[in-house]
Amino acid sequence: MKRRDFLKAAGGGALVAATTSGTAQARPNKEPPANAVGMLYDSTLCVGCQACMTECKKINGMPPEQAFGDDMWDSPADLSEKTLNIIKLYRDGDGSVKDRETDGFAFVKRHCQHCVDAGCVSVCPVTAMRKDAKTGIVTHHEDVCIGCRYCVYACPYNVPKYEFSKADGQIRKCQFCNQAGVERIDQGLLPGCVEVCPTGASLFGTYSDLKAEAERRVALQPGENTVYPRGMLNPGSGGYAQPGLPPHEKPAPQYQPEVFGDADDSGGTQVLHIAAVPFQKLGLPDLPERSFAARSETVQHTIYGGAVLPIAALAGLVYAARRSTVGKQEGDDSTGGQQS
Ligand code: SF4
Ligand code: SF4
Ligand code: SF4
């Protein structure tokens, strides 16, 4: 068969399948589990002490990085195979006033967002990335990972990092301190970064409680006195026994009116952010409402649902091959008849 006939036949079959299958539906974004846990990071409470980074390295057995010279202790430039949690700085003009967009500065904490509808989980061909059915925590399981790095490309937050420095490299990312051998959440402990945070800028709780707390804060009037919990918000909520730490009280800043990580941020994330500076200025991406997982799975299921398209494409090829072969055979037969 000529190449043009081959492509026509395969394309014809595919077209038939695409127009006749019609069974695939656009899937909506997923919902978090009823007792999902999460973290609220309040940028206005963060003092940039980096205690959370140090504790994260201790818990995960990771070495310091010297991205800015040997005379600095731990000074990573970004998330990496050795740094699963980083405090970054926004700075404008003379950077003199905290939590101000112009001529000010602000902190932002970056680690895995533990997405509600996680792209990394959706693309992993061997279920090495998993979302826990109870907590909603997204963990990576290196015992089954094949190192394809699909998760790296599917993450809209640029979180999973591959250990290129090792011959048998693995994916590294924040596991919410609940991976095999650590299991702080299962043991009723706080995530390490929350436990050491002196101001409550990193706060643990159930996803629904944290969302309500974030919405409460962004609705406060600037200067209004309010209580800021530390450790776990509403200890015991959702059946989690993590401790609350003594709260503190202070006047509210001028918050941005939205919560980053709401459902309209690509399906939402179990790590929520609130801040006084616009989120995009802090380096958080502006994402569409539908999660990447929902969009890509809809496309895949439309194309491959019930294997209709591959079967129809094959049928088209068989038909074209048969037509071309039969025509040739008939020609051969008549030639043979003339010779005898
Ligand atoms: S932030 Fe990235 S690595 Fe973390 S759950 Fe979401 S998609 Fe996965
Ligand atoms: S939850 Fe644990 S692994 Fe994640 S950033 Fe905090 S300390 Fe690090
Ligand atoms: S420990 Fe808390 S205050 Fe200190 S840098 Fe981390 S989030 Fe900010």
Side-chain angles (χ1 to χ4, degrees), residues 8-336:
K8 257 167 65 183
L15 191 64
V16 169
T19 49
T20 57
S21 64
T23 50
Q25 302 268 320
R27 89 144 166 82
N29 291 344
K30 288 184 178 164
E31 296 289 323
N35 284 325
V37 294
M39 196 183 293
L40 170 60
Y41 172 73
D42 185 334
S43 166
T44 72
L45 294 178
C46 183
V47 292
C49 66
Q50 301 184 354
C52 53
M53 290 174 59
T54 307
E55 189 66 11
C56 183
K57 291 218 162 176
K58 192 173 102 188
I59 288 170
N60 290 287
M62 298 200 148
E65 283 188 271
Q66 279 89 24
F68 302 101
D70 291 346
D71 49 352
M72 302 279 285
W73 174 231
D74 190 27
S75 53
D78 209 336
L79 293 178
S80 74
E81 61 184 84
K82 296 173 187 159
T83 298
L84 310 183
N85 164 30
I86 190 166
I87 298 291
K88 300 185 90 174
L89 178 72
Y90 162 79
R91 195 167 186 276
D92 179 79
D94 65 14
S96 57
V97 181
K98 186 170 185 302
D99 297 319
R100 196 168 73 185
E101 188 180 349
T102 307
D103 281 336
F105 69 98
F107 298 111
V108 60
K109 183 171 180 247
R110 301 302 307 272
H111 52 70
C112 176
Q113 290 284 120
H114 296 278
C115 300
V116 172
D117 196 357
C120 61
V121 173
S122 168
V123 297
C124 183
V126 293
T127 64
M129 281 286 188
R130 292 173 209 159
K131 187 165 180 69
D132 185 76
K134 182 187 170 206
T135 62
I137 294 171
V138 176
T139 47
H140 174 257
H141 299 260
E142 64 181 63
D143 52 332
V144 291
C145 179
I146 53 171
C148 66
R149 303 195 287 281
Y150 283 2
C151 56
V152 173
Y153 307 114
C155 174
Y157 300 100
N158 201 15
V159 165
K161 301 293 174 195
Y162 185 74
E163 292 176 310
F164 284 104
S165 62
K166 295 183 182 169
D168 58 345
Q170 267 299 337
I171 294 291
R172 298 287 173 216
K173 75 167 200 75
C174 156
Q175 313 258 56
F176 216 78
C177 288
N178 211 39
Q179 67 272 35
V182 175
E183 290 129 350
R184 288 179 65 90
I185 307 304
D186 293 349
Q187 291 170 23
L189 300 170
L190 291 164
C193 55
V194 172
E195 188 174 81
V196 298
C197 181
T199 64
S202 291
L203 184 66
F204 174 81
T206 62
Y207 173 71
S208 50
D209 285 359
L210 291 171
K211 205 160 167 291
E213 173 68 3
E215 283 160 6
R216 179 189 78 83
R217 289 188 199 178
V218 299
L220 290 168
Q221 290 302 311
E224 192 179 338
N225 243 26
T226 194
V227 172
Y228 286 97
R230 296 189 309 127
M232 179 170 183
L233 176 67
N234 306 330
S237 177
Y240 295 98
Q242 273 74 3
L245 305 174
H248 61 104
E249 195 172 331
K250 73 173 197 70
Q254 170 87 63
Y255 283 107
Q256 289 294 311
E258 295 105 6
V259 177
F260 184 89
D262 262 347
D264 57 4
D265 291 316
S266 200
T269 59
Q270 290 174 222
V271 175
L272 303 167
H273 292 245
I274 53 176
V277 168
F279 299 121
Q280 275 75 58
K281 294 262 167 103
L282 296 175
L284 293 165
D286 185 13
L287 298 173
E289 190 171 336
R290 267 191 93 204
S291 73
F292 291 103
R295 282 188 285 162
S296 67
E297 284 178 27
T298 299
V299 171
Q300 285 166 27
H301 295 168
T302 304
I303 295 173
Y304 293 108
V308 173
L309 187 141
I311 291 169
L314 183 64
L317 284 172
V318 168
Y319 169 74
R322 193 171 154 67
R323 209 178 55 167
S324 116
T325 312
V326 165
K328 205 163 181 246
Q329 277 174 348
E330 279 167 358
D332 287 350
D333 286 353
S334 63
T335 308

